[in-house]
Amino acid sequence: MKLNIKGITIFVEDDYLSMSKKSAEIVSHRIANKPNSVLGLATGSTPEGMYKELIQLYLNKKVNFDNITSFNLDEYYPINKDNKNSYAYYMNSHLFNHVNIDKDKTFIPNGKTENVDKMCKEYDQMIYDVGGIDLQILGIGNNGHIGFNEPDVDFELTTHLVKLDDKTIEANARFFANIDDVPKFAVSMGIQNIMQSKKIILMASGEGKAKIIHDMIFGKVTPNLPASILQLHNNVTILLDKKAAKLIIN
Ligand code: F6R
């Protein structure tokens, strides 16, 4: 099912698998149209299926990552890139190790840097120097965060150090042995970086995301729900499974 609400294209797919296939299809079309695309990448549970599909498309010679540059949205801080919970490790194991992307052109905020401010400025500059992000992939937190832009966000920020919301720490504890092991900070692209992307796709699956999806689309644009800012972007596609779409379809 395809909807258009407030200028936002919304695809409601039957389940997680078809949502993942649909998003992989959008990404591969984008790459076919512009083989040197700059992708903005997300981690977390939601895009795992999409990465699997992209690997499959690559193995079937339907997509070629040869000329792709990528920037990840975020990374925990502090964290070593060899730590299994780092987003650097996640990207290698879920995508980069399985496709022909040039790892020298994949960028993830450095979770180990001594000088965070300098690293953030350099990250913004690198995105700017390659001409900005063509296609940004997003998940959404239960609290409405995108990247690690937590409620009460400053919409003007670019890449910056964030103190993680307690809800985010709780939600992400499932990946760690103990909740106390979840880093308290992260480095994240800011809302400004995300809003400057030429096209954005946001994915959500499962009933737990239904309310936040409803509110980000129908509520007012507010820093209390960071994803609501996407109502002001002119090229956003939202991909949902039926459960996440529960409150926006009858
Ligand atoms: C990950 C990220 C986060 C996640 C969000 C949803 O790079 O930026 O905003 O997209 O926390 O996470 P999942 O998909 O695990 O529900």
Side-chain angles (χ1 to χ4, degrees):
M1 181 193 301
K2 185 177 176 185
L3 309 168
N4 189 306
I5 304 174
K6 295 189 184 176
I8 302 175
T9 304
I10 304 170
F11 289 100
V12 181
E13 302 294 325
D14 280 346
D15 52 24
Y16 178 72
L17 181 64
S18 43
M19 182 199 73
S20 302
K21 282 185 190 292
K22 183 81 195 169
S23 34
E25 196 183 288
I26 294 176
V27 174
S28 60
H29 278 163
R30 176 72 227 180
I31 296 176
N33 287 333
K34 192 181 177 210
N36 63 346
S37 286
V38 179
L39 302 180
L41 300 177
T43 57
S45 305
T46 312
E48 282 181 12
M50 179 194 71
Y51 292 135
K52 270 197 192 133
E53 294 300 324
L54 282 171
I55 293 169
Q56 214 40 58
L57 288 172
Y58 164 72
L59 294 173
N60 294 335
K61 302 198 181 341
K62 299 267 170 50
V63 64
N64 181 0
F65 290 88
D66 211 11
N67 286 309
I68 293 298
T69 301
S70 72
F71 288 90
N72 264 77
L73 275 169
D74 42 22
E75 178 60 285
Y76 287 117
Y77 188 85
I79 202 159
N80 199 306
K81 63 180 184 339
D82 302 326
N83 183 316
K84 288 201 166 146
N85 284 308
S86 75
Y87 289 164
Y89 191 95
Y90 173 111
M91 285 314 304
N92 282 331
S93 53
H94 287 89
L95 183 68
F96 299 158
N97 286 349
H98 311 287
V99 297
N100 65 334
I101 200 160
D102 176 356
K103 283 198 186 171
D104 289 343
K105 290 196 288 185
T106 65
F107 301 97
I108 300 178
N110 178 353
K112 254 304 191 224
T113 185
E114 304 266 295
N115 191 337
V116 185
D117 281 350
K118 182 165 172 278
M119 191 269 293
C120 291
K121 285 202 182 81
E122 286 169 358
Y123 205 69
D124 288 337
Q125 188 63 44
M126 283 192 292
I127 296 173
Y128 181 81
D129 287 346
V130 295
I133 291 167
D134 292 304
L135 175 61
Q136 176 66 56
I137 293 149
L138 297 175
I140 181 170
N142 296 324
N143 61 359
H145 75 207
I146 45 177
F148 276 130
N149 295 282
E150 302 284 25
D152 270 332
V153 66
D154 175 350
F155 285 148
E156 296 304 315
L157 286 176
T158 56
T159 306
H160 61 291
L161 183 71
V162 193
K163 175 153 179 26
L164 295 180
D165 199 78
D166 287 345
K167 278 204 182 138
T168 301
I169 292 177
E170 259 168 53
N172 289 7
R174 68 189 193 279
F175 298 112
F176 293 80
N178 189 307
I179 192 165
D180 295 327
D181 297 340
V182 186
K184 307 287 178 287
F185 293 88
V187 173
S188 178
M189 277 188 205
I191 295 292
Q192 225 192 99
N193 303 95
I194 294 171
M195 290 298 279
Q196 282 168 4
S197 311
K198 288 157 202 143
K199 179 175 175 62
I200 296 173
I201 62 178
L202 181 142
M203 281 183 280
S205 87
E207 227 172 306
K209 297 280 170 74
K211 176 149 175 29
I212 205 71
I213 286 293
H214 171 274
D215 293 354
M216 77 160 274
I217 297 169
F218 289 101
K220 62 176 199 295
V221 174
T222 165
N224 292 329
L225 200 169
S228 64
I229 191 76
L230 300 179
Q231 291 180 29
L232 306 182
H233 192 281
N234 63 10
N235 193 346
V236 177
T237 299
I238 299 183
L239 293 135
L240 305 172
D241 64 5
K242 274 194 179 145
K243 289 180 178 162
K246 195 173 107 172
L247 300 177
I248 62 167
I249 52 175
N250 306 312

